[in-house]
Amino acid sequence: MSTPLIFIDGDQGTTGLQIHQRLRHRTDLQLLRLDPRFRKDPHHRAEAINACDLAILCLPDDAAREAVASIHNPSVRVIDASSAHRTQAGWTYGFAEMGSAQAQAIRTATRVSNPGCYPTGAIGLLRPLLQAGLLPVDYPISINAVSGYSGKGRAGVDEYEGENATQAPPFQVYGLGLAHKHVPEIAQHSGLLHRPVFVPAYGAFRQGIVLTIPLQLHLLKASAQQLHQCLADHYAGQRHVSVMPLADSKALALLDPQVLNGTDDLRLMVFEHGQHVLLAAVFDNLGKGAAGAAVQNLNLMINQTP
């Protein structure tokens, strides 16, 4: 079998740079790179994408759609790291641990949409519980999440590390219109009947995410132990997703969004007190939330260890 040729379209952005750094020394694949003069030239980019075996798109949504529309070579496979195709028919959702058949679906797909960073944590927590019937599909879900500023892309990095960094706020809640682009993705792939309320924020740290979902047990027909066991059973044996034992969660006094930085891991937790349960996820928004997931999907698609 020939060595697959990989083209990263947008390898100068936050996610694209991370993916390139992960792949540049690998000997089981080749990287196709454009001359810097032609990175924004539609003709040269179209030539490159049609010459590769697999393209990884690290582009704004509209540019990702244009890149896909430029493909005329039927053998080209695509991983799209934008949000352009995450809820679109014909695209395989690139969350390998989402279900028992998902990794194989990714392995054989021609079009894979990489999950968003926040949806990775939200879907990772919600989907197993909804599928098991422990959480009603019409439950009024609220999601709160704080990401490092790199989640905003190059603009966020410039805001906090550039020449005006002293003016950057230590904490900022955004998405106040309650119409964040991740909401349809979370609802569709978790299996919710209604759109959740999603409140995202950025903190004055470079990377890492803490995402939490509060639940009222009196609205459920399940205990905290049952919720935890469902998650533990679903992710048993997974390399990149773990569920913290209840006793360990109980001993925690705080959640550090940066604790898994530099890894491709997603850690899920269940906290309880009385009739209240808090589901929580911690992971690196540049790892499992972006570049790590893209490389995991790439490895599946070229039949390497994910």
Side-chain angles (χ1 to χ4, degrees):
M1 182 179 177
S2 60
T3 305
L5 185 61
I6 312 299
F7 173 51
I8 306 170
D9 195 355
D11 63 358
Q12 296 304 298
T14 306
T15 299
L17 278 170
Q18 288 268 329
I19 294 172
H20 179 261
Q21 289 170 2
R22 290 164 179 257
L23 301 183
R24 61 182 176 175
H25 296 305
R26 285 179 52 167
T27 59
D28 60 327
L29 51 79
Q30 301 178 67
L31 287 179
L32 171 61
R33 301 203 75 190
L34 279 179
D35 186 298
R37 294 173 297 168
F38 303 134
R39 283 187 183 131
K40 295 186 179 181
D41 184 288
H43 175 73
H44 285 88
R45 288 174 54 226
E47 279 190 340
I49 202 170
N50 282 284
C52 72
D53 295 301
L54 194 150
I56 304 176
L57 309 181
C58 302
L59 303 166
D61 288 3
D62 287 343
R65 294 185 187 98
E66 291 171 4
V68 172
S70 75
I71 299 173
H72 56 75
N73 180 349
S75 65
V76 174
R77 304 170 77 191
V78 177
I79 297 172
D80 182 9
S82 82
S83 62
H85 300 102
R86 290 176 185 157
T87 59
Q88 186 168 321
W91 285 74
T92 299
Y93 196 59
F95 189 168
E97 299 87 359
M98 189 171 77
S100 59
Q102 199 66 17
Q104 182 58 27
I106 295 166
R107 194 183 297 278
T108 59
T110 59
R111 299 288 185 269
V112 172
S113 185
N114 219 50
C117 54
Y118 294 126
T120 296
I123 295 164
L125 287 165
L126 292 171
R127 185 180 172 97
L129 304 180
L130 288 159
Q131 285 192 325
L134 297 178
L135 192 61
V137 295
D138 60 351
Y139 189 94
I141 291 292
S142 295
I143 303 166
N144 295 278
V146 182
S147 170
Y149 54 76
S150 60
K152 198 174 181 179
R154 192 183 300 178
V157 174
D158 289 344
E159 182 179 358
Y160 282 87
E161 298 180 8
E163 57 184 22
N164 296 317
T166 56
Q167 301 173 27
F171 185 81
Q172 49 185 308
V173 176
Y174 66 104
L176 300 181
L178 302 180
H180 193 283
K181 66 180 181 178
H182 285 330
V183 171
E185 177 185 352
I186 293 170
Q188 177 173 313
H189 293 294
S190 64
L192 287 169
L193 187 60
H194 306 297
R195 291 164 60 101
V197 175
F198 175 50
V199 184
Y202 291 127
F205 54 96
R206 196 174 205 277
Q207 62 199 82
I209 285 179
V210 164
L211 179 145
T212 57
I213 304 173
L215 299 175
Q216 301 275 353
L217 285 181
H218 71 271
L219 298 177
L220 306 178
K221 294 180 180 179
S223 65
Q225 290 77 13
Q226 288 174 306
L227 298 174
H228 178 272
Q229 192 61 52
C230 177
L231 292 172
D233 289 345
H234 182 88
Y235 295 110
Q238 293 291 350
R239 178 182 176 191
H240 293 297
V241 184
S242 64
V243 180
M244 182 177 285
L246 277 174
D248 293 352
S249 298
K250 207 170 276 190
L252 288 178
L254 55 83
L255 289 176
D256 179 359
Q258 303 176 89
V259 70
L260 292 178
N261 282 2
T263 78
D264 295 334
D265 297 336
L266 169 64
R267 182 177 297 160
L268 307 179
M269 289 150 282
V270 177
F271 301 92
E272 64 165 323
H273 180 75
Q275 288 296 301
H276 296 156
V277 162
L278 187 69
L279 307 177
V282 175
F283 55 107
D284 185 347
N285 60 290
L286 298 180
K288 185 61 171 168
V295 173
Q296 184 179 2
N297 290 326
L298 168 68
N299 289 337
L300 284 167
M301 295 170 79
I302 64 173
N303 294 313
Q304 299 295 332
T305 303

